[in-house]
């Protein structure tokens, strides 16, 4: 059960994110339990793409969806190319605006499914099926697991009778919060690909911010703290038997189920809001391909005793090339560049973490029609010096809290009917000094940062591990949310974080057990064993794992070999960035790419001098 499923590259699906019903129908026609079908959910876009890259950044109500859709196009296109193409590229429920962003369609055999009727017309017979499963449209998600198990396609008839479809208990269990999005369907598809049972749960009312507050109340010894936390989560899963399972994976909107289950079995999580499509795909793909055989160990040496030396020793014993960023080397600049542009399989972080000081700001902002809006937000400002040039990286992270008295992201604001241009105008004008009505210094809720040698790092980055998909062990306090979202959002295939402030001794012992087992078991199994160090302490069950049960670390053949692999991937990165430099028209992008190229060049010359000389000799001989 610890092996990753195969990727079934016969099909490649891109489906409108909000059309879960169509997604379930399409998948029922295509899946035949011969691996995982790569399936991706296309987010909402407000306008069609334009052909040419602008010389300067355009700021209007369309900019956020432009950015999301263009990144989606690049990531999906790269995914197809990684697999060497596909027999059929299935588009389902996409409108013309969405399709305008997909620049690779002409290279593949595209089947375009507009609605439920098209699915039967274009897909019936494309895969041998054992017949149909008739269900109501409202029951299609609940019926999909049984249809996939029995190799049936779904057929909608609203006169059908709802049925329960019991399944033989299997070692693995996937629990999915139904959210009316394609991500729920991806969870079902994934569970079928690993031959695991599926449990669909309704989780209305669960909010990871509220859960975080309940955890904090519990850890601050407020009366009935744990009981309140348990009462908020347990009712949704109390009907499920977990104890006989080899593993459980939750597809969730940010709820730490492992804590409530007390890790009675190995438990992992997939975040439904943070690219679950790419998260599953990357986990499966990188389990078999493109291993960098490299690790980064980061620590500004904040503690008298810590695990870093032991972590480096264990990773090197697995023949990984380890890049230590320790002590005075653990700067904002070094961390930012290594996290984004150094190829690595594992990043271990040992430092202080958690919420940091910032400002609660109230602004009055006038929109394009002259209407006044009151915005309340928190702001954290930090920067890192570039030791090689007279420049520095500025990071300003803002957390919107209220708009005109309504909670940001709350139901009242979402149903208020504000046109999208208001939010665009607010985004553009936010932070202008003339708008500020008041500002006060506070500890900013949810502002998870990493303490560097020189300042705090807020995890605002766009790339990760030179386009690889690493595992992150963030052994700092309160590292399970916010900063975790940043790493997962840009491509990490595994992330271990803490649910509250962790005791240093517990952190050390847990890390040592984890790395003792990392090369002879899965990441989840190694973490489950490390939980022994938390038993009978105030930090029992403190760790949460965002990942899949089979994800693993691979030993290198030798450290010498691993160093050569890392160098080759850095050389590949130079080629990729030079290509982007030649094509970009955006001045800001040009400066960024030049800075990246300088960093890669310095890194190769300082860390791989002998390997570069050998590479140059071989190239000269050729």
């Amino acid at each position: 059960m610890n092996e990753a499923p195969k990727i079934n590259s016969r099909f490649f699906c891109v489906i409108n994110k909000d059309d879960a019903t169509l997604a379930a129908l399409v998948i029922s026609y295509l899946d035949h339990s011969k691996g995982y079908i790569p399936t991706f959910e296309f987010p909402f876009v407000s306008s069609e793409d334009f052909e040419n890259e602008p010389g300067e950044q355009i700021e209007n109500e369309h900019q956020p969806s432009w950015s999301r859709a263009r990144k989606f196009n690049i990531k999906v296109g790269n995914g197809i190319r990684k697999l060497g193409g596909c027999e059929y590229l299935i588009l389902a429920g996409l409108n013309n605006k969405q399709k305008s962003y997909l620049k690779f369609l002409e290279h593949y055999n595209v089947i375009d499914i507009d609605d439920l009727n098209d699915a039967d017309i274009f897909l019936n017979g494309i895969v041998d099926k054992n017949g149909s499963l008739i269900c109501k449209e409202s029951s299609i998600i609940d019926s999909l697991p049984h249809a996939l198990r029995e190799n049936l396609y779904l057929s909608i008839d609203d006169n059908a009778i709802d049925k329960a479809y019991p399944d033989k208990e299997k070692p693995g269990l996937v629990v999915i919060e139904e959210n009316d999005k394609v991500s729920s369907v991806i969870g079902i598809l994934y569970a079928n690909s690993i031959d695991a049972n599926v449990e669909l749960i309704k989780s209305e009312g669960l909010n990871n911010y509220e859960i975080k507050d309940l955890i904090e109340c519990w850890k601050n010894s407020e009366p009935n703290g744990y009981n309140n936390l348990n009462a908020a989560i347990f009712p949704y899963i109390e009907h499920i038997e977990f104890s006989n399972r080899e593993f459980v994976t939750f597809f969730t909107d940010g709820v730490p189920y492992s804590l409530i289950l007390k890790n009675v079995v190995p438990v992992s999580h997939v975040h439904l809001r943070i690219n679950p499509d790419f998260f599953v795909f990357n986990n499966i793909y990188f389990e078999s391909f493109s291993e960098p055989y490299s690790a980064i160990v980061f620590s500004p040496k904040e503690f008298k005793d810590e695990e870093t030396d032991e972590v480096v020793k264990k990773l090197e014993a697995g023949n990984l090339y380890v890049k230590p960023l320790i002590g005075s080397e653990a700067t904002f600049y070094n961390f930012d560049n290594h996290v984004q542009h150094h190829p690595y399989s594992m990043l271990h972080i040992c430092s202080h973490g958690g919420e940091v000081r910032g400002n609660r700001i109230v602004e009055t902002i006038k929109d394009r029609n002259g209407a006044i809006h009151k915005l309340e937000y928190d702001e954290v400002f930090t920067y890192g010096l570039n030791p090689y040039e007279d420049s520095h990286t500025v990071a300003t992270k803002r957390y919107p809290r209220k708009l005109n008295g309504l909670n940001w992201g709350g139901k009242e604001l979402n149903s208020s009917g504000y046109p999208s241009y208001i939010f665009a105008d607010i985004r553009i004008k936010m932070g202008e000094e003339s708008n500020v009505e008041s500002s006060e210094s506070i500890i900013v809720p949810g502002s998870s940062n990493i303490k560097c040698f020189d300042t705090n790092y807020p995890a605002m980055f766009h790339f990760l591990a030179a386009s690889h998909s690493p595992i992150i062990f963030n052994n700092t306090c309160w590292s399970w949310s916010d900063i975790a979202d940043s790493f997962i959002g840009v491509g990490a295939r595994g992330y271990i974080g803490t649910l509250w402030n962790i005791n240093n001794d517990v952190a050390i012992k847990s890390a040592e057990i984890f790395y003792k087992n990392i090369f002879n078991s899965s990441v989840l199994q190694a973490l489950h064993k490390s939980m022994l160090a938390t038993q009978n302490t105030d930090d029992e069950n403190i760790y949460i794992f965002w990942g899949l049960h089979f994800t693993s670390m691979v030993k290198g053949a030798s450290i010498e070999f691993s160093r050569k692999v890392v160098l080759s991937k850095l050389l590949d990165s130079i080629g990729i960035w030079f290509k982007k430099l030649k094509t970009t028209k955006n001045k800001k992008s040009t400066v960024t790419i030049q800075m990246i190229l300088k960093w890669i060049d310095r890194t190769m010359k300082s860390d791989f001098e002998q390997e570069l000389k050998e590479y140059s000799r071989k190239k000269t001989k050729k």
Side-chain angles (χ1 to χ4, degrees):
M1 290 297 292
N2 286 326
E3 290 186 4
K6 302 296 183 184
I7 294 179
N8 177 7
S9 58
R10 184 184 180 195
F11 304 108
F12 207 96
C13 299
V14 180
I15 306 176
N16 189 325
K17 182 176 183 175
D18 296 319
D19 206 337
T21 298
L22 182 58
L25 192 63
V26 167
I27 292 301
S28 74
Y29 278 98
L30 301 181
D31 186 76
H32 45 82
S33 300
K34 293 184 178 179
Y36 179 79
I37 296 174
T39 301
F40 301 89
E41 49 180 8
F42 203 134
F44 166 81
V45 293
S46 58
S47 72
E48 292 189 1
D49 193 18
F50 46 83
E51 291 298 319
N52 298 315
E53 180 190 13
E56 299 297 336
Q57 184 70 44
I58 296 176
E59 287 283 0
N60 58 30
E61 62 266 36
H62 303 301
Q63 196 277 330
S65 70
W66 281 341
S67 178
R68 283 194 304 268
R70 287 174 174 174
K71 289 177 182 177
F72 181 86
N73 165 66
I74 292 170
K75 290 163 71 175
V76 171
N78 288 342
I80 298 179
R81 286 188 288 273
K82 284 176 182 176
L83 300 180
C86 59
E87 187 175 346
Y88 297 103
L89 173 58
I90 312 295
L91 307 183
L94 303 187
N95 57 41
N96 289 331
K97 292 177 183 178
Q98 291 169 313
K99 292 175 191 174
S100 71
Y101 289 87
L102 300 178
K103 307 303 183 184
F104 48 80
L105 298 183
E106 63 185 37
H107 303 296
Y108 302 101
N109 183 15
V110 176
I111 298 179
D112 197 349
I113 309 295
D114 285 331
D115 52 36
L116 297 173
N117 293 325
D118 278 355
D120 187 70
I121 294 171
F122 290 107
L123 301 179
N124 200 341
I126 201 168
V127 170
D128 290 334
K129 288 287 178 177
N130 296 333
S132 66
L133 176 64
I134 300 174
C135 66
K136 295 178 181 178
E137 184 174 335
S138 59
S139 303
I140 193 167
I141 303 298
D142 294 327
S143 303
L144 180 60
H146 181 72
L148 297 184
R149 285 196 302 270
E150 301 300 322
N151 194 33
L152 304 170
Y153 66 87
L154 292 168
S155 180
I156 297 174
D157 182 349
D158 283 332
N159 294 316
I161 299 173
D162 287 334
K163 296 180 181 179
Y165 299 103
D167 188 20
K168 179 182 177 181
E169 186 173 295
K170 298 173 182 177
L173 174 64
V174 176
V175 182
I176 304 165
E177 295 175 0
E178 286 195 64
N179 62 359
D180 298 322
K181 305 291 183 184
V182 173
S183 52
S184 289
V185 176
I186 290 172
I188 295 171
L189 176 63
Y190 167 71
N192 192 62
S193 75
I194 61 171
D195 194 30
N197 292 123
V198 174
E199 284 279 355
L200 297 168
I201 62 174
K202 305 289 186 182
S203 58
E204 296 91 345
L206 282 182
N207 181 297
N208 66 322
Y209 294 106
E210 294 171 356
I211 297 299
K212 182 177 179 295
D213 289 340
L214 288 171
I215 292 174
E216 192 165 359
C217 290
W218 167 40
K219 285 301 168 180
N220 288 334
S221 301
E222 293 193 12
N224 297 314
Y226 181 78
N227 290 337
N228 293 335
L229 174 66
N230 188 69
I233 300 175
F234 188 68
Y236 296 102
I237 58 173
E238 62 181 338
H239 63 286
I240 305 173
E241 176 57 49
F242 293 99
S243 59
N244 296 325
R245 305 289 182 169
E246 289 184 8
F247 69 89
V248 180
T249 297
F250 287 90
F251 280 67
T252 171
D253 192 14
V255 179
Y257 289 99
S258 58
L259 176 61
I260 299 304
L261 293 178
K262 301 182 186 295
N263 289 288
V264 64
V265 295
V267 178
S268 68
H269 304 75
V270 176
H271 208 305
L272 286 169
R273 282 190 299 105
I274 309 175
N275 304 333
D277 44 5
F278 292 102
F279 188 79
V280 172
F281 177 79
N282 284 340
N283 264 277
I284 298 172
Y285 178 82
F286 282 100
E287 194 65 15
S288 303
F289 298 99
S290 200
E291 175 63 51
Y293 303 109
S294 170
I296 296 172
V297 177
F298 176 87
S299 171
K301 283 290 184 179
E302 291 286 316
F303 308 100
K304 182 178 180 182
D305 296 312
E306 57 181 48
E307 72 271 15
T308 47
D309 290 343
E310 187 65 22
V311 171
V312 171
K313 187 188 301 182
K314 287 289 193 295
L315 291 171
E316 288 183 339
N319 290 323
L320 267 61
Y321 165 66
V322 179
K323 174 65 177 183
L325 298 177
I326 295 175
S328 61
E329 293 297 308
T331 62
F332 181 110
Y333 175 82
N334 282 341
F335 189 64
D336 185 54
N337 281 285
H338 280 85
V339 161
Q340 296 193 83
H341 309 304
H342 194 285
Y344 57 92
S345 312
M346 169 67 75
L347 166 62
H348 183 86
I349 302 169
C350 171
S351 184
H352 286 297
E355 296 171 343
V356 296
R357 185 163 291 280
N359 292 297
R360 172 68 54 85
I361 299 172
V362 177
E363 293 186 2
T364 52
I365 296 176
K366 183 183 294 186
D367 69 28
R368 66 189 65 181
N369 291 328
I372 301 295
H373 303 278
K374 180 168 286 191
L375 175 69
E376 184 175 327
Y377 64 93
D378 298 337
E379 181 179 85
V380 176
F381 173 83
T382 188
Y383 66 93
L385 295 175
N386 183 335
Y388 302 98
E389 298 179 18
D390 185 19
S391 65
H392 55 269
T393 300
V394 175
T396 302
K397 197 166 188 176
R398 298 187 174 107
Y399 303 80
R401 302 302 185 190
K402 291 184 179 182
L403 177 62
N404 297 329
L406 302 178
N407 290 331
W408 194 273
K411 292 181 180 179
E412 291 181 346
L413 182 59
N414 291 337
S415 61
S416 64
Y418 285 132
S420 59
Y421 72 80
I422 290 177
F423 296 96
D425 294 348
I426 287 172
R427 188 180 67 255
I428 294 168
K429 296 182 179 181
M430 183 190 303
E432 292 182 7
E433 191 173 339
S434 59
N435 297 327
V436 176
E437 188 175 283
S438 64
S439 177
E440 63 173 317
S441 178
I442 64 167
I443 299 297
V444 175
S447 60
S448 296
N449 275 235
I450 298 169
K451 178 73 169 63
C452 298
F453 184 79
D454 51 350
T455 186
N456 291 314
Y457 187 78
M460 295 175 64
F461 44 83
H462 303 287
F463 313 102
L464 191 67
S467 297
H468 293 83
S469 190
I471 298 154
I472 315 297
F473 191 160
N474 190 352
N475 208 16
T476 67
C477 297
W478 289 102
S479 58
W480 75 288
S481 63
D482 187 49
I483 202 163
D485 298 355
S486 298
F487 279 103
I488 296 169
V490 292
R493 63 191 173 108
Y495 182 94
I496 299 168
T498 61
L499 293 165
W500 57 83
N501 290 326
I502 188 168
N503 175 274
N504 188 50
D505 289 339
V506 174
I508 292 171
K509 292 174 184 176
S510 299
E512 289 176 351
I513 296 172
F514 176 81
Y515 287 101
K516 181 180 179 180
N517 292 280
I518 190 61
F519 292 114
N520 53 37
S521 66
S522 69
V523 173
L524 178 58
Q525 289 170 328
L527 181 64
H528 192 66
K529 291 173 183 176
S530 76
M531 293 286 190
L532 293 171
T534 74
Q535 289 184 356
N536 302 315
T537 73
D538 291 338
D539 293 328
E540 192 162 6
N541 301 307
I542 189 173
Y543 290 106
I544 181 173
F545 176 51
W546 298 101
L548 299 179
H549 75 283
F550 57 78
T551 299
S552 63
M553 287 285 295
V554 180
K555 285 186 175 182
S558 66
I559 292 179
E560 180 184 4
F561 170 78
S562 297
R563 288 176 59 86
K564 291 179 180 178
V565 170
V566 174
L567 175 60
S568 70
K569 293 184 180 300
L570 287 171
L571 290 167
D572 289 343
S573 287
I574 285 181
I576 292 169
W577 284 113
F578 263 120
K579 186 176 180 180
K580 291 181 179 179
L581 185 62
K582 290 179 180 179
T583 58
T584 186
K585 300 176 183 178
N586 188 292
K587 292 180 181 179
K588 187 175 179 180
S589 297
T590 298
V591 172
T592 299
I593 294 171
Q594 289 172 338
M595 296 292 285
I596 293 169
L597 286 167
K598 289 178 181 179
W599 181 86
I600 296 174
D601 182 64
R602 278 194 297 267
T603 298
M604 290 194 305
K605 289 177 179 177
S606 63
D607 294 353
F608 300 95
E609 182 179 2
Q610 293 303 317
E611 289 84 0
L612 273 176
K613 289 179 179 178
E614 182 180 342
Y615 174 80
S616 298
R617 284 196 298 270
K618 288 182 179 179
K619 194 172 182 181
T620 301
K621 287 180 181 179
K622 289 182 180 179

